[in-house]
Amino acid sequence: MQAPSTPSTASPAPRDRPAVTLREVAERAGVSMITVSRAINTPHQVSERTRLRVQEAVSNMGYVPNLVAGGLRSARSHVVTALVPTLTGPLFGEMVQALTDTLEVRGFQVMVGQVGYAHSREDELLRAIVGRRPDGIVVTGVMHSPEGRRMLMASGIPIVETWDFTDTPIDMLVGLRHEALGAAVCEHLFAKGRRRLALLSGGDERAARRARGFQAAALRLGLREPAVRLGKSPTTHADGRDGLAALLADAPDIDAVFCSSDMLALGVLTEARVRGIAVPGPLAVVGFGDIDFAQTVSPSLTTVRIDGTRMGQMAAQLIADRADGKSVAEPVVDIGFSIVERESA
Protein backbone atom coordinates (compact mmCIF):
# COMPACT_ATOMS: atom_id res chain seq x y z
CA MET A 1 0.00 0.00 0.00
CA GLN A 2 1.45 3.34 -1.02
CA ALA A 3 0.45 6.78 0.14
CA PRO A 4 0.91 9.11 -2.82
CA SER A 5 3.69 11.64 -2.66
CA THR A 6 2.27 14.93 -3.81
CA PRO A 7 3.24 18.56 -3.44
CA SER A 8 1.66 20.16 -0.40
CA THR A 9 -1.13 22.67 -0.69
CA ALA A 10 0.16 24.46 2.40
CA SER A 11 0.98 28.12 2.07
CA PRO A 12 4.55 28.66 0.88
CA ALA A 13 7.01 29.10 3.71
CA PRO A 14 8.78 32.44 4.01
CA ARG A 15 11.96 32.71 2.00
CA ASP A 16 15.15 34.71 2.51
CA ARG A 17 14.13 35.55 6.07
CA PRO A 18 16.41 38.26 7.48
CA ALA A 19 17.95 37.53 10.85
CA VAL A 20 16.82 39.60 13.81
CA THR A 21 19.60 42.13 14.40
CA LEU A 22 21.20 43.70 17.43
CA ARG A 23 19.80 47.06 16.30
CA GLU A 24 16.23 45.70 16.27
CA VAL A 25 16.66 44.31 19.77
CA ALA A 26 17.98 47.68 20.94
CA GLU A 27 14.99 49.47 19.42
CA ARG A 28 12.57 47.02 21.06
CA ALA A 29 14.26 47.45 24.45
CA GLY A 30 14.61 51.23 24.08
CA VAL A 31 18.36 51.22 24.68
CA SER A 32 21.53 51.58 22.62
CA MET A 33 23.18 48.73 20.71
CA ILE A 34 26.19 48.84 23.02
CA THR A 35 23.88 48.50 26.01
CA VAL A 36 22.31 45.40 24.47
CA SER A 37 25.78 43.96 23.84
CA ARG A 38 26.78 44.62 27.44
CA ALA A 39 23.55 43.19 28.81
CA ILE A 40 24.19 39.97 26.89
CA ASN A 41 27.95 39.60 27.26
CA THR A 42 28.78 41.46 30.49
CA PRO A 43 25.48 41.83 32.37
CA HIS A 44 27.22 43.12 35.50
CA GLN A 45 27.93 46.35 33.61
CA VAL A 46 24.26 47.30 33.29
CA SER A 47 21.50 47.83 35.82
CA GLU A 48 19.15 44.99 36.72
CA ARG A 49 16.24 46.92 35.22
CA THR A 50 18.07 47.37 31.91
CA ARG A 51 19.22 43.77 31.85
CA LEU A 52 15.64 42.56 32.28
CA ARG A 53 14.37 44.88 29.50
CA VAL A 54 17.02 43.56 27.12
CA GLN A 55 16.39 39.98 28.18
CA GLU A 56 12.67 40.37 27.51
CA ALA A 57 13.33 41.81 24.04
CA VAL A 58 15.81 39.04 23.23
CA SER A 59 13.35 36.36 24.32
CA ASN A 60 10.34 37.84 22.53
CA MET A 61 12.22 38.30 19.28
CA GLY A 62 14.13 35.01 19.36
CA TYR A 63 17.44 36.81 18.96
CA VAL A 64 20.65 34.77 19.31
CA PRO A 65 24.00 36.62 19.14
CA ASN A 66 26.34 35.69 16.30
CA LEU A 67 29.30 33.96 17.95
CA VAL A 68 31.51 33.72 14.86
CA ALA A 69 33.01 35.87 12.12
CA GLY A 70 32.68 39.07 14.12
CA GLY A 71 28.99 39.17 13.27
CA LEU A 72 29.63 39.57 9.55
CA ARG A 73 26.55 38.53 7.60
CA SER A 74 28.67 37.67 4.58
CA ALA A 75 30.53 34.94 6.47
CA ARG A 76 29.86 31.43 5.17
CA SER A 77 30.48 28.38 7.34
CA HIS A 78 29.75 25.72 4.69
CA VAL A 79 28.38 23.70 7.60
CA VAL A 80 24.83 22.37 7.94
CA THR A 81 23.59 21.10 11.30
CA ALA A 82 21.15 18.18 11.54
CA LEU A 83 19.30 17.55 14.80
CA VAL A 84 17.78 14.10 15.42
CA PRO A 85 16.10 12.66 18.52
CA THR A 86 18.51 9.74 18.89
CA LEU A 87 21.72 8.38 17.39
CA THR A 88 21.36 4.91 18.90
CA GLY A 89 18.66 3.58 16.57
CA PRO A 90 18.76 3.14 12.79
CA LEU A 91 15.52 4.98 11.99
CA PHE A 92 17.06 8.39 11.30
CA GLY A 93 20.40 7.11 9.98
CA GLU A 94 19.20 6.69 6.40
CA MET A 95 18.09 10.31 6.20
CA VAL A 96 21.31 11.62 7.78
CA GLN A 97 23.46 9.58 5.39
CA ALA A 98 21.59 10.85 2.33
CA LEU A 99 21.71 14.41 3.69
CA THR A 100 25.47 14.13 4.23
CA ASP A 101 26.21 12.59 0.83
CA THR A 102 24.10 15.12 -1.09
CA LEU A 103 25.44 18.16 0.74
CA GLU A 104 29.04 17.03 0.39
CA VAL A 105 28.70 17.21 -3.40
CA ARG A 106 27.49 20.81 -2.99
CA GLY A 107 30.48 21.74 -0.80
CA PHE A 108 28.88 21.52 2.64
CA GLN A 109 29.75 19.45 5.69
CA VAL A 110 27.13 18.08 8.10
CA MET A 111 27.31 18.17 11.89
CA VAL A 112 24.80 15.96 13.73
CA GLY A 113 23.36 16.70 17.15
CA GLN A 114 21.21 14.49 19.36
CA VAL A 115 18.31 16.35 20.98
CA GLY A 116 16.38 13.53 22.61
CA TYR A 117 12.61 13.84 22.83
CA ALA A 118 12.42 16.83 25.21
CA HIS A 119 12.08 20.46 24.07
CA SER A 120 14.47 21.68 26.75
CA ARG A 121 17.38 19.78 25.21
CA GLU A 122 16.44 20.97 21.71
CA ASP A 123 16.28 24.60 22.84
CA GLU A 124 19.71 24.38 24.46
CA LEU A 125 21.30 22.96 21.33
CA LEU A 126 19.48 25.37 19.03
CA ARG A 127 20.81 28.33 20.98
CA ALA A 128 24.38 27.08 20.63
CA ILE A 129 23.94 26.23 16.94
CA VAL A 130 22.15 29.42 15.85
CA GLY A 131 24.83 31.48 17.60
CA ARG A 132 27.45 29.90 15.36
CA ARG A 133 25.48 30.65 12.19
CA PRO A 134 25.63 27.47 10.11
CA ASP A 135 24.50 27.73 6.50
CA GLY A 136 21.45 25.58 7.27
CA ILE A 137 19.67 23.64 10.00
CA VAL A 138 17.73 20.40 9.50
CA VAL A 139 15.47 19.54 12.43
CA THR A 140 13.34 16.49 13.20
CA GLY A 141 9.66 17.22 13.72
CA VAL A 142 7.56 20.36 13.72
CA MET A 143 6.40 20.59 17.35
CA HIS A 144 9.03 22.86 18.82
CA SER A 145 8.78 24.86 22.01
CA PRO A 146 7.69 28.50 21.61
CA GLU A 147 11.24 29.59 22.41
CA GLY A 148 12.76 27.18 19.91
CA ARG A 149 10.36 28.27 17.19
CA ARG A 150 11.14 31.95 17.84
CA MET A 151 14.88 31.26 17.66
CA LEU A 152 14.59 29.43 14.36
CA MET A 153 12.29 32.01 12.76
CA ALA A 154 14.47 34.91 13.90
CA SER A 155 17.78 33.36 12.83
CA GLY A 156 17.57 34.10 9.10
CA ILE A 157 19.18 30.68 8.56
CA PRO A 158 17.59 28.27 6.03
CA ILE A 159 15.60 25.71 8.05
CA VAL A 160 14.16 22.38 6.93
CA GLU A 161 11.79 20.51 9.23
CA THR A 162 11.61 16.76 8.56
CA TRP A 163 9.76 13.58 9.60
CA ASP A 164 6.51 15.42 10.27
CA PHE A 165 4.03 17.80 8.69
CA THR A 166 2.32 21.09 9.44
CA ASP A 167 0.49 23.74 7.45
CA THR A 168 2.58 26.40 9.23
CA PRO A 169 6.24 25.43 8.74
CA ILE A 170 8.98 27.65 10.07
CA ASP A 171 10.64 27.82 6.65
CA MET A 172 10.89 24.66 4.51
CA LEU A 173 9.60 21.15 5.18
CA VAL A 174 10.07 17.59 3.89
CA GLY A 175 7.90 15.17 5.84
CA LEU A 176 4.76 13.10 6.16
CA ARG A 177 1.35 13.12 7.82
CA HIS A 178 1.44 10.76 10.79
CA GLU A 179 -2.32 10.85 11.43
CA ALA A 180 -2.91 9.56 7.89
CA LEU A 181 -0.29 6.87 8.44
CA GLY A 182 -2.01 5.61 11.59
CA ALA A 183 -5.36 5.53 9.82
CA ALA A 184 -3.88 3.60 6.88
CA VAL A 185 -2.49 0.92 9.21
CA CYS A 186 -5.89 0.55 10.88
CA GLU A 187 -7.56 0.18 7.49
CA HIS A 188 -4.96 -2.41 6.46
CA LEU A 189 -5.68 -4.52 9.55
CA PHE A 190 -9.42 -4.15 9.04
CA ALA A 191 -9.08 -5.37 5.45
CA LYS A 192 -7.22 -8.41 6.81
CA GLY A 193 -10.22 -9.27 8.99
CA ARG A 194 -8.82 -7.96 12.26
CA ARG A 195 -11.46 -6.45 14.53
CA ARG A 196 -10.03 -6.29 18.07
CA LEU A 197 -7.14 -3.90 17.71
CA ALA A 198 -4.43 -2.74 20.09
CA LEU A 199 -1.83 0.00 20.02
CA LEU A 200 1.63 -0.10 21.59
CA SER A 201 3.31 3.28 21.35
CA GLY A 202 6.22 5.37 22.50
CA GLY A 203 5.57 8.78 24.01
CA ASP A 204 6.96 11.15 21.38
CA GLU A 205 4.69 13.54 19.48
CA ARG A 206 4.93 11.84 16.09
CA ALA A 207 3.99 8.47 17.60
CA ALA A 208 1.11 10.17 19.41
CA ARG A 209 -0.25 11.51 16.12
CA ARG A 210 -0.02 8.07 14.53
CA ALA A 211 -1.92 6.72 17.52
CA ARG A 212 -4.65 9.33 17.15
CA GLY A 213 -5.05 8.51 13.46
CA PHE A 214 -5.22 4.79 14.24
CA GLN A 215 -7.82 5.22 16.99
CA ALA A 216 -9.99 7.59 14.93
CA ALA A 217 -10.00 5.18 11.99
CA ALA A 218 -11.02 2.26 14.25
CA LEU A 219 -14.03 4.18 15.52
CA ARG A 220 -14.91 5.30 11.98
CA LEU A 221 -14.88 1.65 10.89
CA GLY A 222 -17.26 0.71 13.69
CA LEU A 223 -14.67 -1.15 15.76
CA ARG A 224 -14.39 -0.98 19.49
CA GLU A 225 -11.85 1.45 20.89
CA PRO A 226 -8.37 -0.06 20.54
CA ALA A 227 -6.56 -1.19 23.68
CA VAL A 228 -3.67 1.20 24.27
CA ARG A 229 -0.35 0.92 26.03
CA LEU A 230 1.87 4.02 26.06
CA GLY A 231 5.52 4.17 27.06
CA LYS A 232 8.64 6.27 26.67
CA SER A 233 10.71 7.10 23.62
CA PRO A 234 13.03 5.80 22.29
CA THR A 235 11.45 2.35 22.52
CA THR A 236 13.24 -0.95 23.11
CA HIS A 237 12.81 -4.68 22.52
CA ALA A 238 12.06 -5.10 26.24
CA ASP A 239 9.34 -2.45 26.00
CA GLY A 240 7.70 -4.54 23.28
CA ARG A 241 7.71 -7.69 25.40
CA ASP A 242 6.39 -5.87 28.46
CA GLY A 243 3.85 -3.98 26.35
CA LEU A 244 2.27 -7.10 24.85
CA ALA A 245 2.08 -8.69 28.29
CA ALA A 246 0.27 -5.61 29.63
CA LEU A 247 -2.09 -5.45 26.64
CA LEU A 248 -3.05 -9.10 27.02
CA ALA A 249 -3.66 -8.63 30.73
CA ASP A 250 -6.10 -5.80 29.95
CA ALA A 251 -7.65 -7.21 26.77
CA PRO A 252 -6.83 -10.90 26.26
CA ASP A 253 -8.88 -11.16 23.05
CA ILE A 254 -6.91 -8.63 20.95
CA ASP A 255 -6.11 -9.91 17.47
CA ALA A 256 -3.76 -7.21 16.12
CA VAL A 257 -1.13 -4.82 17.51
CA PHE A 258 0.20 -1.70 15.80
CA CYS A 259 3.59 -0.72 17.25
CA SER A 260 5.12 2.73 16.98
CA SER A 261 8.53 1.25 16.11
CA ASP A 262 9.94 -1.92 14.60
CA MET A 263 11.91 -2.49 17.81
CA LEU A 264 8.65 -2.59 19.79
CA ALA A 265 7.21 -4.95 17.18
CA LEU A 266 10.22 -7.27 17.52
CA GLY A 267 9.60 -7.40 21.26
CA VAL A 268 5.94 -8.22 20.62
CA LEU A 269 6.93 -11.06 18.27
CA THR A 270 9.30 -12.42 20.91
CA GLU A 271 6.71 -12.27 23.70
CA ALA A 272 4.07 -13.86 21.47
CA ARG A 273 6.44 -16.74 20.67
CA VAL A 274 7.24 -17.28 24.36
CA ARG A 275 3.51 -17.42 25.11
CA GLY A 276 2.80 -19.79 22.25
CA ILE A 277 0.72 -17.24 20.32
CA ALA A 278 1.06 -17.73 16.59
CA VAL A 279 1.77 -14.71 14.40
CA PRO A 280 -0.04 -14.21 12.12
CA GLY A 281 -2.65 -16.53 13.60
CA PRO A 282 -4.57 -15.29 16.56
CA LEU A 283 -2.38 -12.18 16.50
CA ALA A 284 -1.18 -9.84 13.75
CA VAL A 285 1.67 -7.36 14.27
CA VAL A 286 2.58 -4.17 12.37
CA GLY A 287 5.68 -2.07 13.04
CA PHE A 288 7.01 1.30 11.92
CA GLY A 289 10.34 2.11 10.29
CA ASP A 290 11.22 -0.91 8.11
CA ILE A 291 14.65 -1.24 9.68
CA ASP A 292 17.01 -3.97 8.51
CA PHE A 293 15.74 -6.92 10.56
CA ALA A 294 12.10 -6.43 9.53
CA GLN A 295 12.54 -8.52 6.38
CA THR A 296 14.66 -11.29 7.91
CA VAL A 297 12.98 -11.87 11.29
CA SER A 298 10.60 -14.84 11.43
CA PRO A 299 7.80 -14.19 10.79
CA SER A 300 8.90 -11.30 8.60
CA LEU A 301 7.47 -8.03 9.84
CA THR A 302 4.74 -6.03 8.14
CA THR A 303 5.72 -2.44 8.73
CA VAL A 304 5.52 1.13 7.47
CA ARG A 305 8.40 2.46 5.43
CA ILE A 306 9.45 6.09 5.17
CA ASP A 307 11.86 6.88 2.35
CA GLY A 308 14.63 8.37 4.45
CA THR A 309 17.01 8.55 1.51
CA ARG A 310 14.63 10.72 -0.49
CA MET A 311 13.88 12.84 2.56
CA GLY A 312 17.58 13.50 3.17
CA GLN A 313 18.28 14.25 -0.48
CA MET A 314 15.39 16.71 -0.75
CA ALA A 315 16.27 18.44 2.53
CA ALA A 316 19.87 18.80 1.34
CA GLN A 317 18.78 20.25 -1.99
CA LEU A 318 16.54 22.83 -0.30
CA ILE A 319 19.24 23.89 2.16
CA ALA A 320 21.99 24.09 -0.46
CA ASP A 321 19.87 26.07 -2.92
CA ARG A 322 18.82 28.59 -0.30
CA ALA A 323 22.36 28.91 1.09
CA ASP A 324 23.61 29.57 -2.46
CA GLY A 325 20.99 32.28 -2.96
CA LYS A 326 18.80 30.28 -5.34
CA SER A 327 15.02 30.37 -5.25
CA VAL A 328 13.08 27.34 -4.00
CA ALA A 329 9.97 26.60 -6.05
CA GLU A 330 8.51 23.97 -3.71
CA PRO A 331 9.54 24.58 -0.10
CA VAL A 332 6.98 22.16 1.43
CA VAL A 333 6.87 18.51 0.33
CA ASP A 334 4.84 15.56 1.63
CA ILE A 335 6.90 12.46 0.76
CA GLY A 336 4.20 10.04 1.92
CA PHE A 337 4.70 6.52 3.27
CA SER A 338 4.16 2.89 2.26
CA ILE A 339 2.90 -0.15 4.13
CA VAL A 340 5.27 -3.03 3.41
CA GLU A 341 3.16 -6.18 3.70
CA ARG A 342 5.01 -9.27 4.94
CA GLU A 343 4.09 -12.32 7.03
CA SER A 344 3.14 -10.78 10.38
CA ALA A 345 -0.05 -9.00 9.21
Side-chain angles (χ1 to χ4, degrees), residues 4-343:
S5 173
T6 57
S8 168
T9 58
S11 300
R15 304 177 191 174
D16 302 322
R17 300 162 297 112
V20 174
T21 65
L22 188 72
R23 182 182 300 278
E24 290 168 334
V25 174
E27 291 173 353
R28 172 73 69 90
V31 297
S32 67
M33 292 171 60
I34 189 63
T35 299
V36 172
S37 180
R38 287 171 179 165
I40 293 171
N41 299 309
T42 55
H44 62 279
Q45 293 186 356
V46 300
S47 69
E48 180 68 6
R49 181 180 178 184
T50 298
R51 186 188 67 79
L52 290 175
R53 285 169 60 189
V54 171
Q55 185 180 57
E56 181 179 9
V58 166
S59 178
N60 289 340
M61 301 178 75
Y63 174 73
V64 177
N66 192 335
L67 303 180
V68 296
L72 293 176
R73 289 189 180 185
S74 61
R76 291 286 300 276
S77 67
H78 296 282
V79 169
V80 172
T81 301
L83 300 182
V84 295
T86 177
L87 298 174
T88 59
L91 182 60
F92 302 103
E94 183 183 347
M95 181 200 75
V96 171
Q97 187 64 59
L99 181 77
T100 301
D101 292 344
T102 307
L103 282 171
E104 186 175 21
V105 174
R106 297 285 296 270
F108 298 87
Q109 299 299 315
V110 174
M111 297 181 64
V112 181
Q114 177 176 291
V115 297
Y117 289 92
H119 285 317
S120 58
R121 177 72 186 278
E122 183 183 62
D123 289 350
E124 182 181 341
L125 273 175
L126 282 176
R127 191 173 296 107
I129 289 164
V130 170
R132 286 161 176 80
R133 294 301 192 270
D135 284 341
I137 301 175
V138 177
V139 293
T140 302
V142 299
M143 302 298 289
H144 314 290
S145 74
E147 181 180 1
R149 188 173 177 86
R150 282 195 298 268
M151 278 193 288
L152 290 171
M153 293 185 74
S155 69
I157 298 169
I159 309 293
V160 177
E161 294 166 287
T162 61
W163 282 98
D164 211 337
F165 207 88
T166 178
D167 290 332
T168 56
I170 289 171
D171 185 10
M172 300 174 285
L173 185 150
V174 182
L176 64 140
R177 302 176 190 270
H178 288 269
E179 294 90 343
L181 188 158
V185 171
C186 182
E187 291 162 2
H188 172 82
L189 290 170
F190 183 83
K192 293 292 183 179
R194 304 293 172 167
R195 298 295 183 267
R196 300 178 301 278
L197 309 184
L199 180 71
L200 185 58
S201 178
D204 64 276
E205 289 150 343
R206 290 172 296 283
R209 283 197 282 286
R210 293 195 292 276
R212 286 196 293 272
F214 185 83
Q215 292 168 302
L219 296 179
R220 186 173 66 250
L221 292 168
L223 304 179
R224 75 183 190 191
E225 187 172 349
V228 177
R229 177 76 174 182
L230 301 177
K232 65 183 187 307
S233 292
T235 53
T236 66
H237 178 269
D239 293 334
R241 293 197 62 176
D242 293 342
L244 179 60
L247 286 170
L248 290 172
D250 293 339
D253 65 338
I254 58 173
D255 63 3
V257 182
F258 174 37
C259 302
S260 68
S261 74
D262 283 351
M263 192 59 69
L264 276 179
L266 181 61
V268 168
L269 292 177
T270 301
E271 185 66 18
R273 180 173 296 165
V274 169
R275 290 170 176 260
I277 302 172
V279 177
L283 188 68
V285 180
V286 178
F288 171 81
D290 195 28
I291 59 181
D292 54 5
F293 65 74
Q295 188 171 2
T296 57
V297 69
S298 181
S300 57
L301 181 64
T302 294
T303 186
V304 183
R305 169 156 177 76
I306 310 302
D307 192 342
T309 295
R310 183 170 176 237
M311 186 185 297
Q313 290 171 342
M314 295 191 72
Q317 191 71 35
L318 291 173
I319 287 284
D321 284 350
R322 281 280 304 280
D324 288 342
K326 299 179 180 178
S327 62
V328 173
E330 192 177 304
V332 178
V333 180
D334 181 356
I335 68 165
F337 56 87
S338 58
I339 295 178
V340 182
E341 186 176 348
R342 299 192 179 104
E343 294 172 343

